[in-house]
Amino acid sequence: MGKKLYVGNLSFETTSADLEALFAEVGTCESASVITDRDTGRSRGFGFVEMASTGEAQKAIAALNGRDVQGRQLNVSEAKERSDRGGGRGFSGRRSY
């Protein structure tokens, strides 16, 4: 199991500092970030947290998954590796004339 955790169903008012403080309650939180929309800057409702060890990551999942925070029930799980999604926005890099 990895040390990086996915945190879903966050309130749109939750900040990275809020997320870090929450996870620091259960262990050593090395980093926390709430993912924001690149166009609007508004939270997308999820984030990632990196714990100091796999044991602390497991403890955080057990303690915080399903917990009510700011009126929302958190979804905490091990983060999965991001798959290669291609070029994005539909542009393949090739042009046909």
Side-chain angles (χ1 to χ4, degrees):
M1 176 176 180
K3 300 183 297 184
K4 191 168 188 177
L5 303 176
Y6 165 83
V7 186
N9 203 31
L10 292 172
S11 162
F12 293 117
E13 286 76 41
T14 302
T15 65
S16 294
D18 295 337
L19 200 56
E20 186 168 3
L22 177 66
F23 278 79
E25 292 175 12
V26 294
T28 305
C29 179
E30 293 184 340
S31 68
S33 61
V34 173
I35 306 304
T36 56
D37 183 275
R38 73 178 76 154
D39 296 328
T40 65
R42 184 174 173 212
S43 168
R44 293 188 57 202
F46 70 94
F48 295 95
V49 173
E50 190 162 0
M51 300 301 285
S53 70
T54 55
E56 288 185 340
Q58 289 174 329
K59 183 178 168 186
I61 291 171
L64 299 174
N65 188 40
R67 182 168 163 183
D68 190 284
V69 176
Q70 295 180 338
R72 311 273 312 244
Q73 198 172 40
L74 294 185
N75 175 13
V76 183
S77 61
E78 180 182 355
K80 294 178 177 49
E81 285 296 318
R82 189 172 172 170
S83 62
D84 182 19
R85 300 183 307 165
R89 304 246 181 205
F91 181 68
S92 67
R94 290 183 246 156
R95 293 185 184 216
S96 57
Y97 293 99

